Amino acid sequence: MSNSFYPKRLNKRSNRLLGKNGNAHKVNPIAERETMESLTAKPFRGSGRLLGLAVAITVLLTGCEAQSDEAASMPPPPEVDVAEVVVEPVTLWESFTGRVASPETVDLRPRVSGYIDKVAFEEGELVQAGELLFQIDPRPYEAQKQAASAELALANSQLDLARSEAGRAKTLLESRAISREEYDQRNTALMSARARVQAAQAALDTAELNLQYTRVTAPVSGRTGRALVTQGNLANADQSLLTTVVSVDPVHVYFEADEQSAFSSQQLLANGQPRDVRISLGGEDGRQYQGKLDFVDNHLNPGTGTLQYRAVLNNPDGLIKPGQFARVEMPVAELDQALLVNRKAVLTDQDRRFVYVVDEQDRVAPRQVTTGRQVDDLQVIREGLNHGDLVIINGVQKVFGAGMQVKPQLVAMKESDQGEGTVAVAQELAQ
């Protein structure tokens, strides 16, 4: 067999199989094939192990990089404002709708008939009691006064004559110069003269009073309406409406409370609580007035089941007008220990109300609550919270579900206490 038949890399191994004389020995072809396969397989097996190791390292590095990228892409927890539930005694106020009314409203009508000579006021101005508003032509009434004065003078002269004749009749009767009948007649004439004097005096008083009535003055201090009868027109006594005058300082505010609120408020009033109420008027931005209850009706309205109240409100400038709508806040109950949260913390889910509570691990959990009345900017919580709970009052829109991680910032529960007080509260809670 020739050596050129084998590959060159096997020539050395083949030469070792030749004899000393250079003759080829007889070689088993199966054994030689196995020898060739063993020589060619070794380098390829080593390469496979290296390739597997490289792939494993690559997968490991890729996983680490993926975890690092995922951690880097996660957003930080959102910042929210939280506050501790407030526990303190409070007075609960209930709001009612009322209307402003004038304590004194006068429809001004003349007491005597006559033509209007003068309208002596500006429509809608404030006037004082006794101030002239209308002047009726006084001349007819001055003439009546003069006639009454003349009648009185005539009656007085007749009285003097009758008194003199009665005195003489008494002397003559004693001397038996006249009869008893004539004496009685002269005494009767004296009494008639006295009666005529009294009638004449009454007529004079009436004439003087009618003359005074030609001056139509303000019966009360207050604000006038428009003049309904102007100069030159006839005003009929007790019929023609001249104007209206309403008192404006103070004013009354009437409102009605439901039966339950009325019962609660009556208990507070019976215990000596102040009778102060807070009043705000329609059209004003948040301004409140201080009023005082001065009247509570003696029975409930059976048609509406309400009890009427009246509050007195000072109005020195006359800016509050009778007839204005008013919102009256009246104390109806007192709580010794009430749980309070900011109104912004209370959310609504259909017919349920809940707040977001932050636990010690800064995780959010919704808490269903039962609310009560409002106290300024706080809401009374009847059920669902405990003293020391932290609720989210700002940033609830950043919360997307239960168990979410947040970054809480401690603030004051009351908005009025925020600012400088917020830092102090936050430091106190942090300690």
Side-chain angles (χ1 to χ4, degrees):
M1 183 180 293
S2 173
N3 292 335
S4 63
F5 180 79
Y6 296 97
K8 292 182 179 181
R9 61 183 300 180
L10 299 178
N11 287 340
K12 293 182 179 181
R13 180 175 178 84
S14 300
N15 291 333
R16 286 196 301 267
L17 298 176
L18 295 176
K20 293 181 180 181
N21 55 4
N23 296 324
H25 294 282
K26 187 176 182 179
V27 180
N28 187 355
I30 296 176
E32 186 173 356
R33 186 165 56 250
E34 291 178 354
T35 302
M36 292 177 62
E37 290 178 357
S38 64
L39 292 175
T40 57
K42 288 182 180 180
F44 288 104
R45 290 173 182 171
S47 300
R49 285 193 296 270
L50 292 176
L51 180 61
L53 181 59
V55 171
I57 295 174
T58 303
V59 172
L60 180 60
L61 293 177
T62 303
C64 294
E65 292 178 358
Q67 292 179 358
S68 177
D69 294 340
E70 183 179 357
S73 63
M74 288 292 291
E79 293 186 358
V80 295
D81 293 340
V82 299
E84 187 176 1
V85 175
V86 177
V87 180
E88 62 183 21
V90 296
T91 299
L92 300 182
W93 296 67
E94 184 70 25
S95 182
F96 306 96
T97 300
R99 187 180 288 274
V100 179
S102 173
E104 298 176 302
T105 301
V106 180
D107 291 337
L108 196 61
R109 303 178 190 273
R111 297 187 179 187
V112 295
S113 299
Y115 288 91
I116 301 297
D117 270 357
K118 180 182 180 182
V119 179
F121 70 97
E122 294 290 335
E123 296 176 324
E125 71 174 354
L126 292 173
V127 295
Q128 299 298 320
E131 188 174 337
L132 178 65
L133 301 182
F134 293 89
Q135 177 64 62
I136 298 176
D137 186 4
R139 291 173 297 179
Y141 299 98
E142 289 176 349
Q144 292 178 7
K145 177 184 177 182
Q146 293 176 358
S149 297
E151 288 291 335
L152 179 61
L154 178 61
N156 284 328
S157 65
Q158 292 177 350
L159 176 61
D160 291 340
L161 177 60
R163 185 181 297 114
S164 175
E165 290 180 350
R168 286 195 300 268
K170 182 178 180 181
T171 304
L172 294 174
L173 179 62
E174 292 176 351
S175 60
R176 297 181 181 276
I178 60 173
S179 65
R180 170 64 66 174
E181 181 180 3
E182 186 176 355
Y183 174 77
D184 291 341
Q185 289 177 353
R186 291 186 180 183
N187 282 333
T188 302
L190 177 60
M191 289 187 291
S192 297
R194 288 175 178 171
R196 284 193 295 271
V197 170
Q198 292 177 352
Q201 183 64 53
L204 178 60
D205 293 342
T206 301
E208 291 177 345
L209 190 60
N210 288 336
L211 182 60
Q212 292 178 8
Y213 286 158
T214 60
R215 289 174 51 88
V216 182
T217 59
V220 296
S221 299
R223 190 179 298 278
T224 61
R226 67 186 185 92
L228 301 176
V229 179
T230 56
Q231 184 176 357
N233 289 290
L234 176 64
N236 294 316
D238 301 326
Q239 294 183 5
S240 301
L241 179 61
L242 302 179
T243 188
T244 57
V245 181
V246 295
S247 60
V248 294
D249 185 29
V251 293
H252 287 163
V253 180
Y254 288 91
F255 62 97
E256 294 186 350
D258 58 272
E259 187 172 355
Q260 180 179 359
S261 299
F263 178 76
S264 301
S265 65
Q266 291 296 300
Q267 287 183 322
L268 293 181
L269 295 177
N271 293 333
Q273 293 296 323
R275 304 173 70 91
D276 296 336
V277 294
R278 298 182 297 211
I279 301 173
S280 57
L281 302 176
E284 295 191 359
D285 298 332
R287 183 179 179 182
Q288 282 192 338
Y289 300 88
Q290 193 77 16
K292 186 175 292 294
L293 291 176
D294 75 328
F295 168 76
V296 180
D297 207 349
N298 57 5
H299 69 283
L300 273 75
N301 187 333
T304 60
T306 57
L307 182 66
Q308 189 179 66
Y309 290 76
R310 184 179 70 192
V312 179
L313 178 62
N314 292 328
N315 186 28
D317 299 328
L319 299 178
I320 303 175
K321 301 293 191 300
Q324 279 187 271
F325 280 104
R327 178 67 65 179
V328 182
E329 295 181 3
M330 180 178 66
V332 296
E334 284 190 341
L335 300 178
D336 294 333
Q337 296 292 322
L339 297 177
L340 303 170
V341 299
N342 196 293
R343 289 182 296 176
K344 296 184 295 184
V346 181
L347 306 177
T348 302
D349 181 12
Q350 296 181 354
D351 60 341
R352 297 180 302 173
R353 295 183 179 181
F354 67 96
V355 298
Y356 282 121
V357 178
V358 178
D359 59 16
E360 297 178 353
Q361 287 74 34
D362 296 339
R363 296 189 179 276
V364 176
R367 188 83 61 82
Q368 186 174 347
V369 296
T370 302
T371 59
R373 301 179 186 271
Q374 293 183 0
V375 181
D376 296 330
D377 58 342
L378 300 179
Q379 182 82 49
V380 176
I381 303 299
R382 294 180 178 177
E383 296 178 356
L385 291 178
N386 298 313
H387 178 51
D389 287 341
L390 296 178
V391 298
I392 299 178
I393 62 173
N394 288 317
V396 292
Q397 70 277 6
K398 303 175 184 178
V399 179
F400 301 107
M404 181 178 176
Q405 192 83 21
V406 294
K407 184 179 180 182
Q409 300 291 330
L410 291 172
V411 297
M413 183 65 75
K414 297 181 180 180
E415 293 182 353
S416 59
D417 295 337
Q418 294 183 9
E420 296 180 357
T422 302
V423 177
V425 171
Q427 292 176 350
E428 181 179 356
L429 293 176
Q431 294 175 357

